[in-house]
Structures are given as C-alpha cells and as structure tokens.
Amino acid sequence: MRNYLKNNRYAWLIVLLTLCVVQWAKAAEEGEVNVQEIVFSHIQDAYTWHITEWNDKEIAIPLPIIVKGEEGWKVFLSSRLHHGESYEGFYLAQDGDHAGKVVTRNSAGEETRPLDISLTKNVCGLFLSCALLLLIILRTANWYKKHPNEVPRGFTGMIEVVVTYIEDDVIKNSIGKEYYKPYSSFLQTVFFFILINNLIGIIPIFPGGANVTGNIAITFVLAVCTFIAVNLFAATKGYWKEIFWPNVPIYLKLPLPIMPFVEFFGVFTKPFALMIRLFANIMAGHTIILALTCLIFITVSMGVAVNMGMTLVSIVFCVFMNCLELFVACLQAYIFTLLSANYIGLAKVKD
C-alpha cells in the first residue's frame, strides 16, 4: 500500500478527498451542516476570507472594515464582529435586507447601512488578480526586452500565442485593421482580467475561491467601460445617424419614431447583455458545483449505501463540472472581448 501511494501521484488526492467526505458526512449526521449556508457563503461576498476548519474552529483571515457612521470614519478588523458582537455601534445584520452586512443604528434607533468601503473577500480577490495580471504582463515584456531576437518558449511563448490570437483573429477582424490600435490595449486587458478572475474563482482553496466575476458589480463596471469605449470614443456621425435616423421606411420613423426608439434602446441593451451574460454564467457554475457537493450531506439520512452511491455520483459530476468550468472561464472571457470588439467595430460607421 505504501509503495502504491508513493508511486501513484493521484492516490494522495483520493485519500484526502475520502477523508473530507467522511468528515462532512459525520458533521451532517450530527446536524452541524447547513446546506443553504454552505452554498451562499461561498458565492456571496464576506468580511473574512475563509480558509478551512480545524477541530470545529474556523480558520479565516479577518479583513479590515472601513465604514463611516454618524461619528465619522471607523477602521477595525472584522474579527471584532464575530458571534453577533458589536464594535463602536457597528454589527453584522443577521436577517432582513442587510443580512451579512455591517449595519448600525441612527439617533432614532433605526437600523441603517453606513457608508461601507471595506476590503471584503471579493475586493481582496480583485487586488490579487490585478497583481497577478501585472506580474504576467510585466514579466513577459521584460523577457522581450532582454531577448529581442529570440523566439519565446514556455510560459512567455504561451502568452504570445494568446495575445496574437486575440489581436489578429478577434480585435482586427471585428474593428478593422485601420481602426483597431486605439482599442487593442483595452480589449486585451479586459480579456486577461476576466480570464484570470474566472480561473482563480474555480480554485477551491485559499487564495482562490473569490467570486469576482460572479459579482454583478464587477461585470457592471466592465460593461460600462465597453459602453464608454463604444459611444464616447468609437462612435462616429454615421453611427448616431443610424440610431436616430435609420435607413428604414419613413412610416417607421414618422410620425412615431418607432425604429429610432428601438435603435436608441439597443445602445443600452448591448452592454446590459454583456453584464448579465458574464455574471450569470460564472454564478451558475459555482452554484451547480456547490449544489452537487451538497448531495453528500442531503443523502446522509438515507443510509450508508445510498449515501456512498450519491457521494460517488457527486464526486464524478463535480469533477466534470470543474472541467466544464475551465472551458467556460476561457469561453466567457473570449465572448466578452469578441462582443465588445464587435460593438466598437459597428460604431465605426463611415459618415
């Protein structure tokens, strides 16, 4: 057995996974597992970065809370608010519209949300992905400076292949060879930013697991950036003419501006579709994987045979979904970049 474990590099992973399943099942039998809490705690943002549990104790990194109440700004660690405790009048809401968020009470005794710019899990995950993106790009650029006449290999060669493909087959083809340069840096940054965040979000252990691109606030900002690039920088007089006076029969424009209204509405629906598509796909992937994992807990009371059978089914489907999520992570970054480039290209209508 020892030789088998030594020679098979996957055996240790199987053993650890089996031990985890046994511990989860034991906890479920004792009524200590809340399936809904498991799912939402991994998807939603948090003021702590959970790592693991050891001897019934949570191991987590407390993150700084930065809030402004009636008495001014307060900065403290989230560990001061554990177990329903309060600090300087601030506490975590247990239910209602502000559940899980830092709240306080005003002079009238009403529960209100202060101005909150805390460094939450998603914010820290965002900083991590940005630092990683800078490291990748600067490392690649530094290699080219030191080896101007050499062909890149390994990691640098892989980055060159991806950058070249996105620029030649996505950006140039969508915008046009005469117009693409001012938008190339933006679209390349968007692609790698989404890709890195998607991949980090799949990693189930620290420092991965932050649901950055599954947060609609992040996808909203990305969509707004595309909206500005299209309508502020790329749009021409011909583009606006096609919106307010499209080339359609006159009865569709006068006396009721039916088509102008539809075209103008489309200016906002395009970035909205970008926002929802990325958010929904990443959120759905995380939710499905967690739901499949929870089959282990749900079937504990159905007997050992059923539980073991569903545990194997859960593991198989989770492995499949993780592989699918890797594909979706790359696909969604590609689709967001492609559609953004197409929208910019469509705005370059000749006058």
Side-chain angles (χ1 to χ4, degrees):
M1 181 66 177
R2 182 178 300 176
N3 292 333
Y4 172 76
L5 294 177
K6 183 178 180 181
N7 296 329
N8 192 332
R9 57 181 179 177
Y10 299 107
W12 283 111
L13 179 61
I14 296 173
V15 171
L16 289 174
L17 183 60
T18 303
L19 290 174
C20 289
V21 169
V22 171
Q23 290 298 321
W24 291 340
K26 182 180 178 182
E29 286 181 339
E30 297 173 356
E32 299 176 358
V33 176
N34 187 325
V35 174
Q36 183 177 356
E37 182 180 353
I38 291 174
V39 174
F40 285 101
S41 64
H42 284 77
I43 293 176
Q44 293 177 342
D45 202 0
Y47 292 100
T48 60
W49 199 321
H50 175 83
I51 299 177
T52 186
E53 291 187 4
W54 187 263
N55 291 332
D56 297 329
K57 292 183 179 180
E58 181 185 23
I59 300 176
I61 298 176
L63 301 175
I65 293 179
I66 308 172
V67 290
K68 182 181 181 181
E70 294 181 346
E71 298 180 358
W73 290 98
K74 300 292 181 180
V75 181
F76 53 92
L77 290 179
S78 59
S79 57
R80 292 183 176 273
L81 304 183
H82 281 181
H83 309 296
E85 298 176 357
S86 64
Y87 179 77
E88 298 286 341
F90 297 98
Y91 60 94
L92 293 179
Q94 301 300 317
D95 50 26
D97 296 335
H98 307 314
K101 301 296 183 181
V102 174
V103 295
T104 186
R105 293 192 180 275
N106 57 22
S107 55
E110 300 172 338
E111 188 176 84
T112 59
R113 283 271 288 144
L115 178 60
D116 190 351
I117 57 171
S118 304
L119 298 182
T120 61
K121 178 182 176 181
N122 283 348
V123 174
C124 293
L126 184 62
F127 287 154
L128 174 64
S129 62
C130 290
L132 187 58
L133 176 59
L134 285 173
L135 178 64
I136 292 172
I137 300 303
L138 293 178
R139 178 186 180 279
T140 305
N142 186 55
W143 188 94
Y144 279 104
K145 288 182 180 180
K146 293 182 178 179
H147 309 85
N149 300 319
E150 295 184 23
V151 177
R153 297 180 180 179
F155 180 79
T156 305
M158 180 187 68
I159 296 297
E160 182 185 12
V161 169
V162 176
V163 169
T164 303
Y165 173 76
I166 295 298
E167 179 141 334
D168 293 342
D169 292 354
V170 176
I171 301 175
K172 285 184 181 180
N173 287 346
S174 300
I175 302 177
K177 295 182 179 180
E178 64 273 26
Y179 300 122
Y180 82 93
K181 286 187 178 180
Y183 312 100
S184 179
S185 297
F186 164 68
L187 293 171
Q188 291 278 6
T189 303
V190 166
F191 173 80
F192 281 100
F193 174 81
I194 296 175
L195 178 62
I196 290 173
N197 278 291
N198 288 350
L199 294 176
I200 291 178
I202 298 174
I203 302 174
I205 58 175
F206 180 82
N211 190 25
V212 176
T213 44
N215 188 318
I216 200 167
I218 300 297
T219 60
F220 171 78
V221 172
L222 291 172
V224 167
C225 291
T226 297
F227 176 83
I228 293 173
V230 172
N231 297 283
L232 191 61
F233 297 107
T236 61
K237 292 181 180 179
Y239 169 76
W240 292 113
K241 180 181 177 182
E242 287 292 328
I243 291 175
F244 293 107
W245 196 254
N247 186 21
V248 295
I250 191 66
Y251 60 82
L252 293 176
K253 296 181 286 188
L254 294 174
L256 294 176
I258 298 175
M259 286 308 298
F261 174 78
V262 172
E263 293 291 340
F264 182 73
F265 187 68
V267 171
F268 300 95
T269 57
K270 290 175 182 177
F272 180 79
L274 286 177
M275 175 185 71
I276 296 298
R277 179 182 288 107
L278 179 59
F279 161 74
N281 278 278
I282 302 304
M283 174 70 77
H286 290 312
T287 304
I288 291 172
I289 291 174
L290 290 168
L292 289 171
T293 303
C294 289
L295 286 175
I296 301 171
F297 312 135
I298 296 172
T299 58
V300 167
S301 60
M302 298 180 183
V304 176
V306 174
N307 183 236
M308 290 302 296
M310 293 306 298
T311 297
L312 293 176
V313 171
S314 175
I315 292 173
V316 171
F317 274 98
C318 282
V319 171
F320 170 76
M321 282 302 303
N322 272 285
C323 294
L324 184 62
E325 277 292 284
L326 286 174
F327 172 72
V328 170
C330 301
L331 181 64
Q332 289 304 315
Y334 172 80
I335 290 176
F336 194 101
T337 307
L338 176 63
L339 292 178
S340 297
N342 281 332
Y343 296 155
I344 293 173
L346 291 172
K348 288 294 182 182
V349 179
K350 293 184 180 180
D351 300 336

